[in-house]
Amino acid sequence: MSFALRLRVYWEDTDAGGIVFYANYLKFMERARTEWLRSMGIAQQRLRDETGGIFVVTETQLKYLRPARLDDELLVTADLRQAGSASLIIDQRVLLVSPHAPESPANANDDVLCRGTIRIGWVQADTLRPARMPQSLAGTLERHADSMSQPLQS
Amino acid sequence: MSFALRLRVYWEDTDAGGIVFYANYLKFMERARTEWLRSMGIAQQRLRDETGGIFVVTETQLKYLRPARLDDELLVTADLRQAGSASLIIDQRVLLVSPHAPESPANANDDVLCRGTIRIGWVQADTLRPARMPQSLAGTLERHADSMSQPLQS
Amino acid sequence: MSFALRLRVYWEDTDAGGIVFYANYLKFMERARTEWLRSMGIAQQRLRDETGGIFVVTETQLKYLRPARLDDELLVTADLRQAGSASLIIDQRVLLVSPHAPESPANANDDVLCRGTIRIGWVQADTLRPARMPQSLAGTLERHADSMSQPLQS
Amino acid sequence: MSFALRLRVYWEDTDAGGIVFYANYLKFMERARTEWLRSMGIAQQRLRDETGGIFVVTETQLKYLRPARLDDELLVTADLRQAGSASLIIDQRVLLVSPHAPESPANANDDVLCRGTIRIGWVQADTLRPARMPQSLAGTLERHADSMSQPLQS
């Protein structure tokens, strides 16, 4: 039931350890959150132009389980865990889709490389002070949360 | 006739000027070069594992014509201009596909935001010394160059 | 008693919200950890050349309290909370030293902008498998930890 | 006679080739330009608050001669080549100060790793349209250029 974005590891994402630089998983997770919001019709630049508000990240917790490498194909998920009037908590995972080494066992697919929990808050873009989300935004997220809270969810 | 990769501008790509940070166009162009190579069956990590060589960028020239912004959708092209035995010269452009502002005139589409010329060299990964490209790699690029040098090209 | 590194916010660190992009605090914290290790005589590249091991980040927890902006001068601290035979836990803070706006009240100085806890593990660079730290490295960290655990600490 | 900024290579700057990712030299050069401007009393955030204008990069040309690695200490120079009423051309170099390998020959010091020429323009921050630099800014740069064009310069 998760939203998922597929992406590729490029040189820019790696470091001299030969693996994806850990800070870049935050970028991967944000791309997935952005596309997850877009899938609900929420475009952040337009939202800012119309309401004067933006989302900011206020807390992040990440566990790095296994490394990703150049050319790996990843799946980045986003699951809304909690939605308040001024903030959201989102659970995210980064999974390995296609390991670059062809000899990898089939069960290496869908390996979780990284898990994260991200808290984002809604603020006024000019003052960066916390604010209540616009009604339309809150409503969209609420309807989404309802559709997620089904028995099938896991 | 150009190879083209479509991508989206995320928060990570922008700076406090409200636009895409200029250094990040180099990342966009590399993603396109990587996918262009992949479209010819050339995967860089596998190539390194098999031949001990990697591509490195040795020269870049970029002109920034118009800015990209958050949520913009971009098209990044790659055209092989010249292929030698140890280096390549690639022309690249970044075009705006879908401006975030819906009121933008239709002719804003396909605007060139940035033009670049990138020279890459083939080196031994351990010593970083220039080397001749493996025969199979050179052959693939040559066949590609031939297929590009048609009258229809522009 | 904390180790502290002073650094400056540049365009590269900011995003279209006009503030430092949250993932970049992980970079700031790593710069401080690196200089903290260097202050003990631990240079990571040399250590890798000599022992075949590197540090990797295995867990991060960050709270973003207030934003930093272009031209801000920051102080990034590193405090060793716990040292095991194969991993370290380090507490870090990012403080605002000199707000760019001269009219800011004096008590804005030393504001904590971000707090983090970073867990790093010692691994073999080639396999990335966890390993015991070399004796000399462990000894250096232990002596450092002892010198920190004084009544004066806070 | 060049302005020069000293900086260190961290993990964040490197890629899986084991060297500094080429796009990051643009960041290093910008840090040097920013500190060069600051050395003349020009703080960009304050300038924007006061005049509504910002500098944007409009053209970059870089040659990568030799790679930098983790822990290397670099010297990044900035030399004003040309100052117009709405743009500047700045020559920059990245030099290796202290190679991490102690056995490197002494003459490895001051090696040029990268050369660049950067053109920056002055624009209105809200519209990003080119504009004439404020009188005080142009005057400061002109006085600086004069002081540079001495016989001693090289």
Side-chain angles (χ1 to χ4, degrees):
Chain A
M1 309 295 287
S2 305
F3 177 86
L5 174 72
R6 219 167 167 123
L7 55 82
R8 186 69 79 162
V9 174
Y10 297 109
W11 282 102
E12 66 185 88
D13 303 312
T14 61
D15 71 17
I19 57 179
V20 168
F21 184 61
Y22 62 97
N24 291 337
Y25 288 90
L26 285 177
K27 297 183 179 180
F28 296 166
M29 289 179 177
E30 179 164 295
R31 294 182 203 173
R33 291 196 306 278
T34 300
E35 297 305 337
W36 164 70
L37 289 171
R38 201 187 318 277
S39 74
M40 290 181 250
I42 303 171
Q44 294 182 69
Q45 181 64 48
R46 203 181 60 214
L47 204 56
R48 178 183 186 166
D49 293 343
E50 290 173 2
T51 71
I54 57 174
F55 282 118
V56 294
V57 170
T58 56
E59 210 171 326
T60 62
Q61 292 188 32
L62 269 74
K63 285 204 184 180
Y64 301 92
L65 308 174
R66 293 161 49 103
R69 291 166 197 278
L70 187 65
D71 283 346
D72 279 347
E73 201 174 351
L74 307 178
L75 206 62
V76 189
T77 68
D79 290 273
L80 182 60
R81 184 204 286 187
Q82 192 183 306
S85 64
S87 70
L88 306 175
I89 299 177
I90 299 152
D91 288 323
Q92 302 200 254
R93 283 167 301 147
V94 180
L95 308 161
L96 183 62
V97 176
S98 65
H100 68 268
E103 67 275 21
S104 293
N107 58 7
N109 286 0
D110 279 28
D111 251 335
V112 178
L113 305 182
C114 180
R115 282 179 194 285
T117 301
I118 312 292
R119 184 184 200 107
I120 59 179
W122 182 256
V123 301
Q124 282 305 110
D126 50 355
T127 61
L128 295 170
R129 285 183 200 282
R132 279 181 160 271
M133 286 183 218
Q135 199 60 39
S136 62
L137 175 59
T140 300
L141 289 165
E142 202 178 313
R143 279 190 301 280
H144 174 79
D146 284 351
S147 75
M148 286 289 105
S149 60
Q150 302 302 321
L152 289 176
Q153 177 198 31
S154 80
Chain B
M1 307 297 286
S2 307
F3 177 85
L5 174 71
R6 219 168 167 122
L7 55 81
R8 186 69 80 163
V9 175
Y10 296 109
W11 281 103
E12 65 185 88
D13 303 312
T14 61
D15 71 17
I19 58 180
V20 168
F21 184 61
Y22 61 97
N24 292 336
Y25 288 90
L26 285 176
K27 298 184 179 180
F28 295 166
M29 288 180 177
E30 178 163 295
R31 294 182 203 173
R33 291 197 306 278
T34 299
E35 296 304 337
W36 165 71
L37 289 171
R38 201 189 316 278
S39 74
M40 291 180 250
I42 302 171
Q44 294 182 70
Q45 180 64 48
R46 204 182 59 214
L47 203 57
R48 178 184 186 164
D49 294 342
E50 290 172 4
T51 71
I54 57 174
F55 282 119
V56 293
V57 170
T58 57
E59 210 171 327
T60 61
Q61 292 187 33
L62 269 75
K63 284 203 186 183
Y64 301 92
L65 308 174
R66 292 161 48 105
R69 291 166 197 278
L70 186 66
D71 283 346
D72 278 348
E73 201 174 350
L74 307 178
L75 206 63
V76 189
T77 68
D79 290 273
L80 183 60
R81 183 205 287 187
Q82 191 183 305
S85 65
S87 70
L88 306 175
I89 299 177
I90 299 151
D91 288 322
Q92 302 201 256
R93 284 168 299 148
V94 180
L95 307 161
L96 182 62
V97 176
S98 65
H100 67 269
E103 67 273 21
S104 294
N107 58 8
N109 285 0
D110 278 30
D111 252 335
V112 178
L113 306 183
C114 180
R115 281 179 195 285
T117 301
I118 312 291
R119 184 185 200 107
I120 60 179
W122 182 256
V123 301
Q124 281 306 110
D126 49 356
T127 62
L128 294 172
R129 286 184 200 281
R132 278 181 161 271
M133 287 183 218
Q135 200 58 42
S136 63
L137 175 57
T140 301
L141 290 165
E142 202 177 312
R143 279 190 301 279
H144 174 79
D146 285 350
S147 76
M148 287 289 105
S149 60
Q150 302 303 321
L152 289 176
Q153 177 197 31
S154 84
Chain C
M1 308 297 287
S2 307
F3 176 85
L5 174 72
R6 217 166 168 125
L7 56 81
R8 185 70 78 165
V9 174
Y10 296 109
W11 281 102
E12 67 186 89
D13 304 312
T14 61
D15 70 17
I19 59 179
V20 168
F21 184 61
Y22 61 97
N24 291 337
Y25 289 90
L26 285 177
K27 298 184 179 179
F28 296 167
M29 289 179 177
E30 179 164 294
R31 294 182 202 172
R33 291 197 306 277
T34 300
E35 297 304 337
W36 164 70
L37 289 172
R38 200 187 317 279
S39 74
M40 289 181 251
I42 303 171
Q44 293 181 71
Q45 181 64 47
R46 204 181 59 213
L47 203 56
R48 178 183 187 165
D49 293 343
E50 290 173 3
T51 71
I54 56 175
F55 282 117
V56 294
V57 170
T58 56
E59 210 172 326
T60 62
Q61 291 188 34
L62 269 74
K63 285 204 184 182
Y64 301 92
L65 308 174
R66 292 159 50 103
R69 290 166 197 278
L70 186 66
D71 284 346
D72 279 347
E73 201 175 351
L74 307 178
L75 205 63
V76 189
T77 69
D79 291 273
L80 183 60
R81 185 205 286 188
Q82 193 183 306
S85 64
S87 70
L88 305 175
I89 299 176
I90 298 152
D91 287 323
Q92 302 202 255
R93 283 167 300 147
V94 179
L95 308 162
L96 182 62
V97 176
S98 64
H100 67 270
E103 66 275 22
S104 293
N107 57 7
N109 287 358
D110 279 29
D111 251 335
V112 178
L113 305 184
C114 180
R115 282 178 195 285
T117 301
I118 312 291
R119 183 184 200 108
I120 60 179
W122 183 254
V123 301
Q124 281 307 109
D126 50 356
T127 62
L128 294 172
R129 285 184 200 280
R132 279 182 161 271
M133 286 183 219
Q135 201 58 42
S136 63
L137 175 58
T140 300
L141 289 165
E142 202 178 313
R143 279 190 302 279
H144 174 79
D146 284 351
S147 76
M148 286 290 106
S149 60
Q150 303 303 322
L152 289 177
Q153 177 200 30
S154 88
Chain D
M1 306 299 285
S2 306
F3 177 85
L5 174 71
R6 218 168 168 122
L7 55 82
R8 185 70 79 163
V9 174
Y10 296 109
W11 282 103
E12 67 186 89
D13 303 312
T14 61
D15 70 19
I19 58 180
V20 167
F21 183 62
Y22 61 98
N24 291 337
Y25 288 91
L26 284 177
K27 297 184 179 179
F28 296 167
M29 289 179 177
E30 178 163 297
R31 294 183 202 171
R33 290 197 306 278
T34 300
E35 296 305 337
W36 164 69
L37 289 172
R38 201 188 315 280
S39 74
M40 290 181 251
I42 302 171
Q44 294 181 72
Q45 181 64 49
R46 203 181 59 212
L47 203 57
R48 178 184 188 165
D49 293 342
E50 290 172 3
T51 71
I54 57 174
F55 282 118
V56 294
V57 170
T58 57
E59 210 172 327
T60 63
Q61 291 188 34
L62 268 75
K63 283 203 186 183
Y64 301 92
L65 308 174
R66 293 160 47 102
R69 290 167 198 279
L70 187 65
D71 284 347
D72 279 347
E73 201 174 351
L74 307 178
L75 205 63
V76 189
T77 68
D79 290 274
L80 182 60
R81 184 205 285 187
Q82 192 184 307
S85 64
S87 70
L88 305 176
I89 298 177
I90 299 152
D91 288 323
Q92 302 202 255
R93 284 168 299 149
V94 179
L95 308 161
L96 183 62
V97 176
S98 65
H100 68 268
E103 68 274 24
S104 293
N107 59 5
N109 285 0
D110 279 29
D111 251 336
V112 178
L113 305 183
C114 180
R115 282 180 194 284
T117 301
I118 311 292
R119 184 185 199 107
I120 59 179
W122 182 255
V123 301
Q124 281 306 109
D126 49 356
T127 62
L128 295 172
R129 286 183 198 281
R132 280 182 159 271
M133 285 183 220
Q135 200 59 41
S136 62
L137 175 58
T140 300
L141 289 165
E142 204 179 311
R143 279 190 301 279
H144 174 79
D146 285 350
S147 76
M148 287 289 105
S149 60
Q150 302 304 321
L152 289 176
Q153 175 198 32
S154 88

